[in-house]
Each structure stands twice: as structure tokens, then as C-alpha cells.
Amino acid sequence: MTKRIGNKDIAQHRGKDEKKRLRAFNLAMEAEKKAIAAAKYRNEVKGRPALAAQA
């Protein structure tokens, strides 16, 4: 749940520029996570457990 200032959530106090920046940051972080996960499993054979030697 979001923090509150009086009766309003903090998100309600954010300006348009800040909201835009946060959205861009969140999308970039999510894209980075997806790229790391894709690279991690890129050469794995489906259904076969990962080799212990790779860890």
C-alpha cells in the first residue's frame, strides 16, 4: 500500500514529469530483468534440469 500524507496518497502529490520519469525507470528495470532471465536460460534444453557445473 502507498504511504499517505494526511488524507492523500503520496502518488497524488507527484507531478506529471515525475510520474513520467518513474514509469520510464520501471519499464527500463523490467526490460533489464527480462534480458537477464532470457540470457540465463537461452541455451537450456526445455524440460532438462540445469547443470550444477554452470553455477
Side-chain angles (χ1 to χ4, degrees):
M1 207 161 138
T2 58
K3 292 183 182 178
R4 296 179 73 79
I5 301 174
N7 291 334
K8 290 193 171 185
D9 292 330
I10 287 177
Q12 289 174 296
H13 290 273
R14 290 191 178 125
K16 285 184 181 179
D17 291 339
E18 189 178 359
K19 288 179 188 175
K20 195 174 183 181
R21 222 181 5 195
L22 279 171
R23 179 167 165 74
F25 175 76
N26 289 339
L27 289 173
M29 288 297 292
E30 194 61 33
E32 183 181 352
K33 286 180 191 175
K34 287 176 91 173
I36 291 169
K40 184 176 178 182
Y41 298 109
R42 189 166 66 102
N43 294 321
E44 293 294 320
V45 176
K46 200 170 189 177
R48 187 180 294 177
L51 297 174
Q54 292 178 350

